[in-house]
Amino acid sequence: MSSNEAIVQSALQLLAKSLDPYIEKELLPHLGTELHWTDVLHQLDKIKGKSPKVYSHTDVQPQLRIVTERLGALGYPFSANDPQRLMSIYGNELRLIRNRWAHGDTFSAMEAMRATDTVFIVLTYIGDSEAAAAAADLRGTVIKELVTQPVAETPADDDEPVEVDGTSAFEKPEPDAEPADEHEAPSERFTGVRTTFEPWDIVVTGNVETLDNLPKKTAKESVRATIEEIVDLEGPIHRDRLTKLVGYTYGLGKVHEARAKKIVSQINGSACVTDKEKFVWPADTDPSEWKIYRTSSIGDTRVFTQISPLEIANAAVDILKRNGAMPANELRRLVLKTFGRIKATKGLSAHFENAIEGAEARGLVVVSSGAVSLAESVGSDKQLLDSPA
């Protein structure tokens, strides 16, 4: 382990030691003394359809998850009194740094300085002045190394947008798109695994040079670590959206086709799983057991055609469960509204129909004479829709 990786490790250890008591203190009013904050992660994993894990409260990886992710009905308690969302923004950056370190990635002196600086900011924010001073000492060590190195020129970014099926992978939502009405159905009638979509906060943690160096080992480790963090939060995520997010993380404003192909190669080489519809899933999630759908929220830039057909089908099943059989056009209208869309364009309608065809093939719904109803087996399957939101 080089001195830069050792410094990053030391900074993360400082952070982990301070975050645990901070998290406990902040969540005590919400959880009381009977629950531990790691129990919240177990519930989140259950809702997301992930395999159960054992979490250590002193491990910085679950600590960073708890301070950055939406905690169900609790929302974002670590940003409640922080309009600048410092914990969320810097926490996501540190998630990438930690994942890179865990993958055995190498760090330049500049990257190590950024890591220690970010740790220093977070430690200062949570009020641990002693640990913050130790992080500042680590940063000073890196600065001494930096001043002896020549400054490398950053390659110019001449990338162009990559288009997929004629549309940008990050096109703006339809003009009439709006967040779904969270109060559309009374809570006592809700029976589906419905939650709110959490978009990845784009934080530039690297530079285009890393992408230029693909497929070298250090570059691959860095990019794959980034991919896995994004997929862990947003998965299932369409491959083209994921490619864009990865490019933005490394400082690109645009991603041309050649660059996109290199990133896709790293998606395929990561621990994530890509299905036949080009949606990327966390390795610990079984798509066949995934019963979730995520309603549109502020900051949701997903294109409807880049929402997994499985997720759309789950929304349709829940709507049918609550309202009974209905004409396909009405079901389409309600599904689109759930994901913040109003107008049924040709592309959106085709994507909806594909999702319903898949649901019918899996024995979830029955389509007959222009109407859609639940399959009999679904009506008696309590595990399908009765999980808590």
Side-chain angles (χ1 to χ4, degrees), residues 181-199:
D181 183 4
E182 294 293 337
H183 304 288
E184 182 180 2
S187 58
E188 64 271 14
R189 293 185 57 205
F190 176 72
T191 55
V193 186
R194 177 167 111 171
T195 185
T196 304
F197 177 71
E198 298 176 50

Side-chain angles (χ1 to χ4, degrees), residues 127-141:
D128 192 334
S129 56
E130 182 178 347
D137 289 341
L138 291 173
R139 182 178 56 179
T141 301

Side-chain angles (χ1 to χ4, degrees), residues 87-284:
M87 284 297 288
S88 178
I89 293 172
Y90 287 108
N92 274 330
E93 180 174 346
L94 288 168
R95 286 180 68 165
L96 293 176
I97 291 169
R98 187 223 64 93
N99 206 345
R100 286 183 57 190
W101 173 82
H103 277 70
D105 194 5
T106 59
F107 289 81
S108 67
M110 184 65 74
E111 290 172 330
M113 187 183 74
R114 178 165 184 150
T116 56
D117 195 48
T118 304
V119 169
F120 170 81
I121 292 171
V122 172
L123 290 172
T124 301
Y125 175 79
I126 67 177
D128 192 334
S129 56
E130 182 178 347
D137 289 341
L138 291 173
R139 182 178 56 179
T141 301
V142 183
I143 291 175
K144 290 179 181 178
E145 180 181 347
L146 272 173
V147 296
T148 64
Q149 296 180 350
V151 179
E153 294 184 2
T154 302
D157 176 18
D158 57 355
D159 292 51
E160 296 297 331
V162 57
E163 292 194 353
V164 183
D165 298 329
T167 60
S168 165
F170 237 75
E171 69 182 16
K172 294 181 179 179
E174 290 78 1
D176 57 2
E178 59 182 24
D181 183 4
E182 294 293 337
H183 304 288
E184 182 180 2
S187 58
E188 64 271 14
R189 293 185 57 205
F190 176 72
T191 55
V193 186
R194 177 167 111 171
T195 185
T196 304
F197 177 71
E198 298 176 50
W200 174 260
D201 280 331
I202 298 172
V203 179
V204 180
T205 59
N207 56 57
V208 70
E209 185 177 356
T210 301
L211 300 179
D212 289 336
N213 286 333
L214 289 173
K216 293 182 180 178
K217 183 178 184 299
T218 55
K220 286 196 299 185
E221 293 294 345
S222 176
V223 173
R224 290 179 184 180
T226 301
I227 288 167
E228 289 168 15
E229 281 295 333
I230 296 173
V231 173
D232 187 63
L233 182 68
E234 281 206 16
I237 174 175
H238 195 278
R239 191 180 67 185
D240 299 321
R241 174 179 170 85
L242 176 58
T243 298
K244 285 286 189 177
L245 288 176
V246 172
Y248 296 161
T249 299
Y250 288 93
L252 294 180
K254 300 176 181 179
V255 183
H256 66 43
E257 188 172 0
R259 183 88 73 185
K261 288 180 179 179
K262 288 186 177 181
I263 296 175
V264 167
S265 178
Q266 299 313 310
I267 295 172
N268 296 336
S270 72
C272 303
V273 178
T274 304
D275 64 24
K276 64 179 182 179
E277 302 282 355
K278 299 182 180 180
F279 286 87
V280 187
W281 297 75
D284 58 356

